[in-house]
Amino acid sequence: RFFLGVAEAGFFPGMIFYLTLWFPQAYRGRFTARFCGGIPIAGIIGGPLSGLILGMDGILNLHGWQWLFLMEGLPACLLGFAALKFLPDGPASALWLTSAEKNIIASRLATETLVEERDLWGALRDPRVLALGLVLFGATCALYGITLWLPQIIRAMGFSNTATGFVVTLPYVAGMIAMIVWGRSSDAKGERIWHVALPALLAALGFIGASLAQSDMLVLLALILAMVGVLAAFGPVFALPSSFLRGTAAAGGIALVNAIGVLGGFLGPYIIGVLKEQTGGYASAMALLAMVLVLSAVTVLALGRAMAPRALAVKPAI
């Protein structure tokens, strides 16, 4: 599990930075959202698949969770080697692009006037980077909290293990659609701040609904709403660092934002577990996740005011 975390810690921000080498700021919201769409897709496929793999408990004297790691981990390792072969370092080394196409991409990226920082240490000390890390912390706290506990929440509604694996896909399907649509909307309107704040507030509303609802169906609908809000925010929030950072500074800044954010991946599930143990239910945990998301929304709105004088407008793209 430790090395799995080490691999993910470098992979995710590295890929977000990789996208900045290909797409200008006006297109990063949609393509970042599409890349992050792998998160809900993993839930859509992984939910039912994991339920089936866990049923292999005892085969070849291995536990179900051991089969889970082997059968879902090995393909990722193999695809990592495939990426080394098929992904070029940037447009300039892409064999499928003509010289004219490479020049077009290079010229579009070179004319970006939004960037300020190029120094790594300056980026790591930039309060905007730290603030974005806190925004992501809240979103990740909510995302990992609901992701890791969602099967148990749904199982407690009376579904079988197999049925639970399929029911948990519903929030991910809705979230994936919202992710792509909202990322494109952020690009088309040339706006990032409200495209982070609004879905965070929507997710908070969903968690409040899950905390107060008495019907299992209403709880499920509220959790779908929460997942839609949390996932929709990811494209715009990861497009923000590269709107004022460039090169090494962008790579380091994105990594720091992600590093602060993933701490929420530990805290979210832990908080839910502790509060469930103390209260016997999920209501208080859902309410706390709602509060964390409201703080994320307030933080990004305050950040938007601080960034406004630095000309963060994004040229709309269709």
Side-chain angles (χ1 to χ4, degrees):
R1 290 296 297 272
F2 172 79
F3 287 110
L4 176 62
V6 170
E8 184 179 359
F11 167 77
F12 190 84
M15 281 303 302
I16 298 296
F17 173 70
Y18 184 74
L19 295 177
T20 70
L21 303 179
W22 289 82
F23 305 108
Q25 179 62 214
Y27 289 87
R28 285 178 196 155
R30 71 185 68 180
F31 289 111
T32 301
R34 291 183 189 180
F35 167 71
C36 292
I39 298 172
I41 289 174
I44 293 168
I45 299 175
L49 182 61
S50 297
L52 294 174
I53 295 175
L54 287 172
M56 297 175 62
D57 192 78
I59 297 179
L60 298 181
N61 294 321
L62 293 176
H63 296 292
W65 64 266
Q66 291 174 308
W67 279 113
L68 193 67
F69 272 80
L70 288 171
M71 297 186 70
E72 295 189 358
L74 284 176
C77 293
L78 296 176
L79 287 171
F81 288 105
L84 286 175
K85 177 176 178 59
F86 292 108
L87 287 183
D89 286 340
S93 55
L95 298 179
W96 64 85
L97 293 176
T98 66
S99 297
E101 290 170 334
K102 294 177 182 179
N103 291 333
I104 290 173
I105 295 174
S107 62
R108 285 294 304 272
L109 294 174
T111 56
E112 301 240 291
T113 60
L114 309 176
V115 293
E116 301 169 12
E117 298 279 5
R118 296 193 185 190
D119 174 70
L120 173 62
W121 297 112
L124 298 181
R125 296 192 304 269
D126 194 317
R128 295 169 296 178
V129 171
L130 301 178
L132 282 174
L134 293 177
V135 173
L136 185 63
F137 176 91
T140 308
C141 184
L143 176 63
Y144 276 72
I146 189 60
T147 296
L148 295 183
W149 283 93
L150 185 61
Q152 294 193 46
I153 294 173
I154 292 176
R155 182 70 178 84
M157 294 177 181
F159 292 97
S160 66
N161 287 336
T162 301
T164 296
F166 286 95
V167 174
V168 296
T169 65
L170 298 178
Y172 291 112
V173 171
M176 180 183 66
I177 295 172
M179 218 175 195
I180 295 172
V181 171
W182 200 244
R184 186 176 181 84
S185 171
S186 179
D187 282 346
K189 296 181 179 178
E191 200 283 327
R192 302 285 187 231
I193 298 299
W194 281 102
H195 276 76
V196 176
L198 288 178
L201 293 173
L202 179 67
L205 182 63
F207 281 118
I208 291 173
S211 174
L212 299 176
Q214 300 299 314
S215 163
D216 287 343
M217 182 58 65
L218 289 178
V219 170
L220 180 58
L221 291 175
L223 291 177
I224 291 175
L225 187 67
M227 185 72 81
V228 164
V230 170
L231 289 175
F234 270 70
V237 79
F238 275 111
L240 271 168
S242 61
S243 65
F244 58 89
L245 299 175
R246 179 191 231 166
T248 303
I254 292 170
L256 181 57
V257 169
N258 187 70
I260 297 172
V262 295
L263 294 176
F266 162 77
L267 191 61
Y270 180 78
I271 288 175
I272 293 179
V274 170
L275 291 178
K276 181 182 182 297
E277 185 176 347
Q278 292 180 350
T279 64
Y282 297 99
S284 57
M286 298 296 101
L288 185 58
L289 291 181
M291 292 175 58
V292 171
L293 285 164
V294 170
L295 289 175
S296 286
V298 171
T299 301
V300 78
L301 289 174
L303 179 63
R305 290 179 61 87
M307 295 167 77
R310 304 189 182 195
L312 256 191
V314 181
K315 182 180 179 182
I318 304 301

